[in-house]
Amino acid sequence: MNAMLGMLAATATLVSSAAMANDYYVGAHGEFLWPEESDTTLNGVAIGTLEYDLEYAAVAKVGVVPSAWRSSMGAWRFDAEWHYREADFDDLVSTMTPGGFGGSMESHALMVNAYYDVDTGMALAPYIGGGVGYASHEYDTQTLNIDDTEGDFAYQGMVGLSYAPLDLPSWTFNLGYRYFTTEDIKVTTANGGRFEHEFETHSIEYGVRYNF
């Protein structure tokens, strides 16, 4: 009887320890982003270079820091995040659109990421990460008469600094750089033409996460 009670107590302790082993977090961040100029084609024929305005992005995430992936050097963490990006076309440098080119693209993406946080023993610590996922682009321009949606594979890389205030142990703030890109975007014009261009962005990100 005592042995059974001992085993039950040990099992309860292990279950309790396992439940407390991993740290979880939710977070959000904004981005100031600048898309790269991109080469464009219409029906496979190069028509010029697409230029963008400076833009913004918003991101929400949920993640985990597994206890088994921690060491004295640092810790791995993993999260899933949702992105919203908006990109307005500033101009298409092309003789095909001498009157100018205008339009916009909204991008929604679901990404899964892995980060490594370096343990510096201080409140300020560097991190590096990368992720893959799927992005859906909603395209709207009257110049080429396009109102279409396209989905593509996406990937990204991140590097920056995290700050965890000693008097706010559940909160972490970050400032960093993010590179995000997708496969070439291919959308269809109203008359059946195929408009294609690259999509790559660079951004400065600033965010916060709550650890529990």
Side-chain angles (χ1 to χ4, degrees):
M1 184 64 177
N2 289 336
M4 183 176 292
L5 290 175
M7 291 177 61
L8 289 174
T11 301
T13 300
L14 288 172
V15 170
S16 177
S17 299
M20 297 176 62
N22 300 330
D23 290 334
Y24 300 90
Y25 62 89
V26 294
H29 75 251
E31 298 177 19
F32 295 115
L33 68 89
W34 56 100
E36 287 192 9
E37 295 181 358
S38 55
D39 296 329
T40 61
T41 63
L42 182 61
N43 297 324
V45 178
I47 63 171
T49 302
L50 191 62
E51 299 178 349
Y52 301 86
D53 295 329
L54 294 178
E55 300 296 346
Y56 68 92
V59 179
K61 64 181 66 181
V62 58
V64 61
V65 185
S67 61
W69 293 64
R70 296 185 183 123
S71 73
S72 59
M73 301 293 292
W76 288 92
R77 58 186 165 91
F78 305 90
D79 63 36
E81 63 184 19
W82 168 83
H83 291 229
Y84 172 79
R85 286 179 172 82
E86 182 174 337
D88 292 330
F89 310 131
D90 180 62
D91 198 8
L92 176 64
V93 182
S94 169
T95 57
M96 293 187 63
T97 57
F101 183 86
S104 65
M105 181 179 68
E106 292 185 354
S107 177
H108 299 264
L110 288 174
M111 308 292 291
V112 290
N113 307 304
Y115 292 87
Y116 186 75
D117 296 306
V118 178
D119 187 352
T120 62
M122 299 182 292
L124 196 65
Y127 67 84
I128 187 170
V132 296
Y134 177 84
S136 175
H137 311 289
E138 186 176 343
Y139 212 100
D140 184 17
T141 172
Q142 298 302 313
T143 310
L144 293 178
N145 201 6
I146 300 172
D147 185 3
D148 196 10
T149 301
E150 160 79 355
D152 294 294
F153 171 75
Y155 61 92
Q156 60 186 359
M158 299 77 73
V159 63
L161 291 172
S162 293
Y163 175 66
L166 296 179
D167 55 343
L168 295 172
S170 295
W171 295 90
T172 304
F173 303 89
N174 73 279
L175 178 67
Y177 163 79
R178 179 178 297 236
Y179 171 79
F180 175 87
T181 188
T182 71
E183 295 178 309
D184 288 358
I185 298 172
K186 308 174 185 69
V187 290
T188 304
T189 65
N191 61 6
R194 194 67 166 168
F195 183 65
E196 181 175 347
H197 67 87
E198 305 157 332
F199 187 61
E200 298 177 82
T201 69
H202 305 272
S203 61
I204 299 299
E205 61 181 22
Y206 49 94
V208 61
R209 66 180 187 268
Y210 179 75
N211 311 284
F212 57 93

